[in-house]
Amino acid sequence: MTVLAIDDVRKTFNNGEVAEDILKGVHLALNAGEVTALVGASGSGKSTLLTIAAGLQQASNGEVIFDGHNMTDMSAEQIRQIRASQFGFIFQFAHLVPFLTVEEQLLLMLDVAETTLSKKAQLQEVDRILVLVGMSHRKQAYPASLSGGEKQRVAIARAIIHRPKVLFADEPTASLDSQRSKEVMQLIHDMTKELQIATLLVTHDEEMLIYADRIIKMTDGLIN
Amino acid sequence: MNLAWKDMKKNKVRFFIVGSIIFLVSFLTFIISGLANGLSQDNAALIKDLPKGYFYMNADADKTYNLSKIDNETQQHILQNEEGAVAFSIQMGFLNDQANKQHSVAFVTATDSEFFAQVKQGEVLLDSSLQDKGIHIGDSLTNNQLEEQLVVKGFVEQKKFSHAPVAYIHQEDYTHMYRVQEMQLVFIPNTDVKEFTGLQAFSQKEFLQTIPSYNAEQLSLNMIIWFLVVISGLLFAIFFYMMNVQKIGLYGILKAIGVKTIKLFKMIWTQMLILSSIALALSIGLSQMFSLLAPNSMPFHLTIPAMLQLAIVFLVIGFVGATISGLQIKKIEPLQAIQRGEA
């Protein structure tokens, strides 16, 4: 089932007097329970496409349809609400809040997503997700005491705790070693299947493509 | 979730430093304010201790009380018709003690009134600061304009005028000393301003401005106080700005995952409120302690309402400073924060 559809999306950046077309009319559909990998050389437009799909920047032309609603017609507040409650994000760096424990990072995300769960149910959900990502033993740890792989696991937990419909993962293994990268990708793959999330993965690392259900190659702002 | 408190708990040293600076600046402001008020009391306690009301002097005295002479007819008319009205005079002068040492005083005489101490002819009631200079009850004091001696009848607390201790004397003695029959001023308490032919009305604030040196002294001290308040405002803004700059990446990520901008503003405001409240409470406590420990010769007077007024001003400028520094949060693009990498 298609959760998010990108229809003829174009993006033009103006560098002084020169207009540069980064995306030249991209069509893409993200389906529930599927990892879609976007690959391509640097500057091919894959990260720009991901950020437009995630509502982090506006397309110059075209439509982004989420759950049947055109996001390009929405206000900034409506897009923020979707980002908070329906989308999950994993970045190249974990970007955890340095003054919150692992448990608090996840509770914050539930708070941001305006969950209707009771306090007790929230704590149970945090425990459940931490078991899923193998981090329950570091529940009270602060980010500074976690390894790179552990931070990224917490970032994954934060991205899925509120049961998003779409997961955006932009180079999630770029700062990890080979072993940690495989573990993290396996986790993203498993979560996608278990929670029936539509995952859009941007990566340079071809070794990680074995975890994708669909591989889409981008060249010069177009899908091949 | 209380992000503000969790941030402060985890970064105690950083917030302690900012809080210490707020405390030091506010404490300094309270001390200077206490000294300004103390000097003001030292200059005009006699007038400031009177209840709310209006002072009247001759319209042609050019706002100089010691040039004012209120004629007897007008004085009698006012004293008979206005409840609580009192006529009084003030003159700067000297008293010589038994060792012939000269002491500068402000001679004050008044008609019967609860607001001015009354003495019999040949007696004097002095401000207690003269007691510290070796004058005792029963001492006979002299003045070169008065043939008779003045016997010290007692002391009153904190009655000063133009930085000189007040000496209450009888009207007859005053008349002999200064060779004037008329009083300089009339004070009518607890009323609105009234019109009397030939007299000019002054509120307490306006009358204080007619005291030589009072205005210049208070202007300088108030300028220092408000400079400190402005400097504190700038410090608030600069320190919160610096802390926010360090957290731009974090704020960007929080915005990317859907945290509302207003929640981030609330975080900054809460931190400002907690820091300022603790710093101001400490400043208020210590300045009250200072007022108890300060030597008697140091004029220090800081009332609770004056401190609360300053504390409110500090909180307002803290709020403005934190808000100005927080405006950059509005400008943060989540995308830029993501691309910046780990903070």
Side-chain angles (χ1 to χ4, degrees):
Chain A
M1 186 186 77
T2 297
V3 180
L4 190 130
I6 294 160
D7 188 18
D8 195 27
V9 163
R10 294 163 192 272
K11 182 72 181 176
T12 304
F13 285 109
N14 291 313
N15 285 331
E17 291 180 2
V18 182
E20 196 179 347
D21 294 325
I22 302 296
L23 298 176
K24 299 170 181 168
V26 176
H27 298 267
L28 179 66
L30 302 180
N31 303 318
E34 194 178 85
V35 176
T36 304
L38 267 182
V39 293
S42 289
S44 60
K46 52 190 190 304
S47 285
T48 304
L49 181 62
L50 179 139
T51 52
I52 288 173
L56 290 169
Q57 64 173 320
Q58 292 274 322
S60 304
N61 274 106
E63 292 179 338
V64 178
I65 311 291
F66 169 71
D67 237 2
H69 303 286
N70 188 352
M71 283 175 64
T72 47
D73 292 339
M74 289 181 187
S75 66
E77 175 55 20
Q78 285 172 313
I79 292 173
R80 184 203 65 76
Q81 280 175 9
I82 289 177
R83 278 210 310 272
S85 59
Q86 307 293 334
F87 291 174
F89 295 91
I90 309 166
F91 309 108
Q92 180 179 343
F93 299 99
H95 288 304
L96 300 177
V97 182
F99 51 83
L100 297 182
T101 62
V102 167
E103 183 183 47
E104 288 165 348
Q105 309 272 349
L106 305 192
L107 287 171
L108 170 68
M109 193 61 231
L110 286 174
D111 183 33
V112 171
E114 294 174 6
T115 179
T116 53
L117 295 176
S118 67
K119 189 76 194 163
K120 193 179 166 194
Q122 285 184 40
L123 290 169
Q124 284 171 347
E125 185 64 6
V126 167
D127 287 342
R128 195 183 74 81
I129 295 291
L130 285 177
V131 169
L132 272 181
V133 298
M135 286 296 293
S136 50
H137 62 297
R138 304 302 312 271
K139 201 163 82 168
Q140 297 306 326
Y142 283 96
S145 66
L146 301 176
S147 69
E150 285 177 324
K151 282 183 191 170
Q152 208 57 319
R153 283 170 175 272
V154 177
I156 293 169
R158 182 179 66 180
I160 59 172
I161 181 98
H162 56 301
R163 298 173 180 263
K165 289 186 175 167
V166 186
L167 178 63
F168 296 96
D170 191 2
E171 306 277 10
T173 59
S175 60
L176 303 177
D177 61 39
S178 163
Q179 184 54 36
R180 296 279 174 228
S181 297
K182 285 175 185 164
E183 286 174 17
V184 164
M185 278 312 303
Q186 185 63 55
L187 192 56
I188 290 173
H189 179 267
D190 294 348
M191 295 298 112
T192 303
K193 300 297 173 192
E194 187 174 331
L195 303 173
Q196 283 297 293
I197 300 170
T199 297
L200 180 61
L201 167 74
V202 167
T203 184
H204 270 107
D205 191 346
E206 290 189 1
E207 277 187 46
M208 300 303 126
L209 296 179
I210 56 167
Y211 300 99
D213 300 297
R214 200 153 53 109
I215 300 166
I216 290 168
K217 192 159 192 259
M218 284 193 73
T219 312
D220 295 334
L222 285 169
I223 287 174
N224 294 353
Chain B
M1 178 177 286
N2 194 343
L3 288 176
W5 181 242
K6 288 185 187 297
D7 186 14
M8 293 177 82
K9 232 169 72 178
K10 189 78 176 78
N11 298 297
K12 290 184 193 82
V13 176
R14 185 187 296 174
F15 284 97
F16 175 76
I17 291 169
V18 177
S20 303
I21 289 162
I22 297 169
F23 158 70
L24 288 173
V25 175
S26 58
F27 182 52
L28 184 62
T29 312
F30 284 142
I31 294 292
I32 300 280
S33 181
L35 289 172
N37 285 333
L39 279 171
S40 165
Q41 280 294 115
D42 206 46
N43 212 342
L46 178 77
I47 303 300
K48 291 178 90 171
D49 290 349
L50 290 173
K52 201 173 170 224
Y54 278 85
F55 296 83
Y56 297 84
M57 65 169 89
N58 279 126
D60 53 5
D62 199 22
K63 296 183 179 175
T64 309
Y65 71 88
N66 47 10
L67 295 181
S68 173
K69 283 180 182 174
I70 295 175
D71 66 75
N72 276 328
E73 198 182 325
T74 311
Q75 181 181 315
Q76 286 311 316
H77 170 75
I78 296 173
L79 296 188
Q80 280 168 11
N81 294 298
E82 301 295 336
E83 198 185 334
V86 54
F88 67 102
S89 289
I90 309 166
Q91 281 289 354
M92 303 309 290
F94 297 96
L95 277 173
N96 297 319
D97 63 17
Q98 298 189 136
N100 215 24
K101 192 179 171 192
Q102 208 169 48
H103 300 276
S104 174
V105 293
F107 288 109
V108 175
T109 190
T111 53
D112 277 349
S113 167
E114 58 179 306
F115 308 124
F116 292 87
Q118 302 294 318
V119 288
K120 291 177 188 160
Q121 193 172 357
E123 289 178 350
V124 63
L125 201 60
L126 299 169
D127 176 71
S128 59
S129 61
L130 286 172
Q131 204 170 11
D132 302 334
K133 293 184 177 172
I135 296 176
H136 303 100
I137 293 175
D139 284 0
S140 294
L141 309 179
T142 56
N143 178 280
N144 54 7
Q145 290 165 280
L146 190 68
E147 287 171 17
E148 292 82 19
Q149 292 188 330
L150 292 169
V151 177
V152 179
K153 194 71 188 163
F155 293 95
V156 287
E157 288 297 322
Q158 278 297 315
K159 284 283 180 265
K160 296 271 188 89
F161 186 81
S162 200
H163 296 299
V166 160
Y168 289 104
I169 55 173
H170 191 265
Q171 279 186 65
E172 288 297 325
D173 291 330
Y174 186 90
T175 305
H176 287 144
M177 282 166 77
Y178 294 103
R179 286 164 179 77
V180 284
Q181 295 293 331
E182 300 91 350
M183 290 290 197
Q184 295 165 342
L185 298 153
V186 166
F187 173 70
I188 307 175
N190 309 318
T191 56
D192 290 330
V193 64
K194 295 193 171 174
E195 288 282 332
F196 299 106
T197 312
L199 297 188
Q200 186 178 0
F202 295 84
S203 65
Q204 191 187 80
K205 197 178 168 188
E206 287 163 346
F207 183 68
L208 289 173
Q209 305 302 320
T210 68
I211 301 174
S213 84
Y214 183 89
N215 206 13
E217 188 180 274
Q218 288 301 305
L219 196 71
S220 313
L221 287 162
N222 283 330
M223 204 171 76
I224 294 171
I225 292 167
W226 289 108
F227 259 122
L228 281 171
V229 169
V230 171
I231 288 167
S232 327
L234 287 173
L235 277 176
F236 267 114
I238 291 166
F239 276 96
F240 274 97
Y241 176 81
M242 280 159 62
M243 285 205 294
N244 286 338
V245 164
Q246 289 171 343
K247 290 189 211 159
I248 276 183
L250 171 66
Y251 291 144
I253 296 301
L254 290 173
K255 282 176 84 169
I257 64 173
V259 174
K260 288 179 185 171
T261 306
I262 189 70
K263 190 178 173 90
L264 300 176
F265 266 97
K266 280 181 187 166
M267 178 178 161
I268 295 176
W269 288 331
T270 308
Q271 287 173 343
M272 185 282 301
L273 194 67
I274 293 172
L275 276 187
S276 311
S277 303
I278 294 171
L280 288 170
L282 275 174
S283 298
I284 288 172
L286 276 179
S287 40
Q288 281 302 300
M289 207 182 287
F290 181 82
S291 72
L292 294 175
L293 299 175
N296 285 340
S297 54
M298 181 187 280
F300 189 88
H301 185 77
L302 194 56
T303 58
I304 299 284
M307 273 193 306
L308 290 179
Q309 199 180 6
L310 267 179
I312 290 168
V313 171
F314 268 107
L315 286 175
V316 169
I317 59 167
F319 177 79
V320 173
T323 306
I324 291 170
S325 77
L327 287 178
Q328 60 195 305
I329 293 174
K330 266 197 96 170
K331 295 184 200 154
I332 296 169
E333 286 294 330
L335 198 57
Q336 285 172 355
I338 295 163
Q339 287 161 351
R340 269 164 90 115
E342 196 92 280

